[in-house]
Amino acid sequence: MIVIDGRQTDMKLDSFANLEEILVKVLTEDYLENRIVTDVLVNEETFSEIYPHQAEDVQADEIRSLEIRTVPVGEMAVNISRELYKVIQVMTSGAKQVATLFRQADDTEALELLQDLIDVTRDFMGMISTLRAEFSLRGGVDFQTNVDQISDLLTEMTEVLENEDWILLADLLEYEFLPVCENWKQVIQSLREDIRKAVKG
């Protein structure tokens, strides 16, 4: 039995060799038009891949039931845009903490946290870019200015990191990175309004 969003499909489990074949079929048919998969339940247990193509290793004859849950793309976008505020807060508090640790000469911990901060910032930029591309959002000058600022800043921080100038790094975080984070709050607000309009329209 293959169920998508509470509705049983006419697909039969024994028509497939493994779970990956089923998922590919579902994705290529019209079942998920303008929707995003949030959960896959195999035999009433949540399935998520630990390694690429793990679904290939789940043989169809091992599957008694398969349930796929989805949400509309627009709803997912609205939810992600809400999360972006939280991400900005994480970036802000992380930058303050890293700057403080560098000033206290606690370089080892500061460097570990800095790497996390850079990863979070890159993920944030990726999410923003995806939303903008998906919804053809206006974004405008503010958006591009902020993208350029944060990209230039990450490049500069990487160079300073190579020179091991921890005090300059702390200055960059406090006096340049934090104001950029504040600017992003306005851009996120604008993005959220655009997404809402796109979803309603």
Side-chain angles (χ1 to χ4, degrees):
M1 182 171 68
I2 301 173
V3 175
I4 300 175
D5 292 328
R7 294 181 182 177
Q8 191 166 334
T9 67
D10 54 7
M11 292 186 290
K12 304 292 180 200
L13 287 166
D14 55 15
S15 306
F16 302 93
N18 55 51
L19 177 59
E20 184 160 38
E21 275 188 20
I22 301 169
L23 295 175
V24 167
K25 176 74 171 173
V26 168
L27 290 169
T28 53
E29 296 293 317
D30 292 335
Y31 295 108
L32 303 181
E33 192 174 356
N34 292 324
R35 300 186 74 82
I36 292 174
V37 173
T38 55
D39 299 284
V40 174
L41 282 79
V42 176
N43 301 333
E44 298 179 8
E45 288 186 16
T46 302
F47 173 84
S48 61
E49 289 192 326
I50 298 167
Y51 54 87
H53 301 292
Q54 184 181 356
E56 216 172 51
D57 298 337
V58 180
Q59 300 306 305
D61 57 14
E62 298 169 15
I63 304 171
R64 296 185 308 281
S65 67
L66 174 63
E67 184 180 351
I68 298 169
R69 295 175 185 164
T70 72
V71 296
V73 168
E75 187 181 317
M76 178 65 89
V78 170
N79 291 340
I80 290 171
S81 69
R82 281 195 203 111
E83 292 302 309
L84 290 175
Y85 271 116
K86 294 178 189 169
V87 176
I88 280 287
Q89 297 294 9
V90 168
M91 287 160 60
T92 301
S93 61
K96 288 176 183 172
Q97 193 176 355
V98 172
T100 300
L101 288 167
F102 275 132
R103 293 196 193 290
Q104 293 171 347
D106 193 346
D107 303 342
T108 308
E109 191 175 348
L111 287 167
E112 281 178 24
L113 285 176
L114 179 64
Q115 188 55 58
D116 291 343
L117 177 63
I118 290 170
D119 290 344
V120 168
T121 303
R122 288 201 174 118
D123 288 346
F124 170 81
M125 297 303 295
M127 283 190 284
I128 287 268
S129 299
T130 301
L131 283 176
R132 190 161 181 257
E134 187 70 36
F135 290 89
S136 303
L137 305 169
R138 54 192 158 82
V141 179
D142 287 348
F143 180 88
Q144 197 53 51
T145 302
N146 279 290
V147 169
D148 293 343
Q149 280 181 337
I150 210 157
S151 298
D152 292 346
L153 196 49
L154 286 175
T155 303
E156 190 177 352
M157 283 165 60
T158 304
E159 289 168 5
V160 173
L161 197 57
E162 286 168 4
N163 295 328
E164 298 186 6
D165 189 339
W166 309 138
I167 298 303
L168 178 54
L169 205 45
D171 286 347
L172 285 173
L173 287 166
E174 281 185 351
Y175 303 118
E176 294 192 38
F177 188 85
L178 289 176
V180 169
C181 286
E182 282 302 311
N183 293 343
W184 271 109
K185 289 180 181 176
Q186 293 300 319
V187 177
I188 292 167
Q189 183 60 39
S190 170
L191 285 171
R192 286 178 69 176
E193 285 167 15
D194 283 355
I195 290 166
R196 282 200 194 100
K197 284 176 191 166
V199 170
K200 285 177 184 171

